[in-house]
């Protein structure tokens, strides 16, 4: 986006830095074409990679979550359940998660491009100079990058939670112990849940670990030998 638009704005600064109404029709058309062209290329690249990125994220979450469950059961029972885990069917949990992440990945650049276009056009109408426009675009870029990281962390937590629930319940594990991160960033309600036992079919008011935005808590399986 910046590589397409900023050079044009730099060259055309005399046309818009004082009176927006004096901008030539040629400059306006060129700017509109640059914005649309940049948007189209970014969206095409993002859409082409979205499914691959989403699949990789789901696979990584499934691998780490499954290994954690395997280790917990092995520690409790002295049994390696890798074969059982490999045979599990998660009932579309992974596919649903992948589809949701594809949609999110596609939405971020589109929203960013819309906001940048609005920033540029508003700045031109106000007669702002090139440096101010660059600063506004950079600020919007920084906000989008932070938002993308927040979404990635949040989706990872939610995905880990969904896979954990699906794999534990598929093994007949009905309860879990809430394990918080035990630091100053933990929500008060989650700190209160720490160490308590909950059922998968009866979540606490907070929801299961990972349900809240950016929740870093986890669910340690309760292996009830009396039910074996």
């Amino acid at each position: 986006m910046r590589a397409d638009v900023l050079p044009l704005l730099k060259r055309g600064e005399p046309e818009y830095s004082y009176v927006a109404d004096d901008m030539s029709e040629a400059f306006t058309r060129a700017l509109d074409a640059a914005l649309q062209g940049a948007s189209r290329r970014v969206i095409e690249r993002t859409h082409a990679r979205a499914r691959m990125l989403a699949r990789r994220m789901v696979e990584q979450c499934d691998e780490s979550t499954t290994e954690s469950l395997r280790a917990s059961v092995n520690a409790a029972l002295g049994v390696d359940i890798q074969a059982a885990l490999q045979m599990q069917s998660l009932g579309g949990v992974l596919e649903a998660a992948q589809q949701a992440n594809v949609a999110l990945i596609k939405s971020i650049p589109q929203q960013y491009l819309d906001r940048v276009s609005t920033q540029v056009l508003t700045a031109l109408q106000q007669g702002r100079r090139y440096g101010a426009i660059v600063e506004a675009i950079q600020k919007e870029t920084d906000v989008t990058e932070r938002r993308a990281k927040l979404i990635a962390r949040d989706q990872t937590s939610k995905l880990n939670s969904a896979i954990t629930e699906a794999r534990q319940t598929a093994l007949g594990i009905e309860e879990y112990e809430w394990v918080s991160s035990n630091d100053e960033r933990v929500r008060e309600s989650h700190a209160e849940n720490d160490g308590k036992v909950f059922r998968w079919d009866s979540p606490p008011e907070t929801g299961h670990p990972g349900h809240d935005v950016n929740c870093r808590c986890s669910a340690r399986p309760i292996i009830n030998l009396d039910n074996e």
Side-chain angles (χ1 to χ4, degrees), residues 62-171:
D62 185 35
E63 181 179 346
S64 63
T65 301
T66 301
E67 182 56 34
S68 177
L69 176 58
R70 176 189 175 192
S72 294
V73 174
N74 195 8
L77 303 178
V79 176
D80 190 342
I81 61 169
Q82 181 175 8
L85 290 171
Q86 290 175 340
M87 294 175 62
Q88 280 184 341
S89 173
L90 297 187
V93 170
L94 299 184
E95 180 60 28
Q98 181 172 315
Q99 292 297 332
N101 278 281
V102 166
L104 276 172
I105 291 170
K106 289 181 177 180
S107 72
I108 293 173
Q110 181 62 69
Q111 293 170 7
Y112 164 71
L113 293 168
D114 289 344
R115 288 195 294 269
V116 167
S117 295
T118 299
Q119 289 268 15
V120 170
L121 295 175
T122 299
L124 294 180
Q125 292 169 359
Q126 295 173 348
R128 297 172 66 187
R129 300 189 68 85
Y130 173 77
I133 298 176
V134 172
E135 183 179 347
I137 293 176
Q138 184 59 55
K139 185 178 296 184
E140 190 61 59
T141 301
D142 293 342
V143 168
T144 299
E145 289 178 352
R146 289 195 298 271
R147 178 172 176 269
K149 291 177 181 178
L150 174 66
I151 290 175
R153 289 195 300 269
D154 182 52
Q155 288 303 303
T156 298
S157 297
K158 286 179 168 54
L159 181 54
N160 281 333
S161 177
I163 295 174
T164 296
E165 179 178 0
R167 290 209 177 276
Q168 287 191 20
T169 54
L171 289 174

Side-chain angles (χ1 to χ4, degrees), residues 11-31:
R11 291 194 303 271
E13 184 174 13
E15 295 201 35
Y16 63 79
S17 59
Y18 298 104
V19 183
D21 291 340
D22 291 339
M23 287 189 295
S24 69
E25 184 178 347
F27 174 75
T28 303
R29 286 201 306 268
L31 177 60

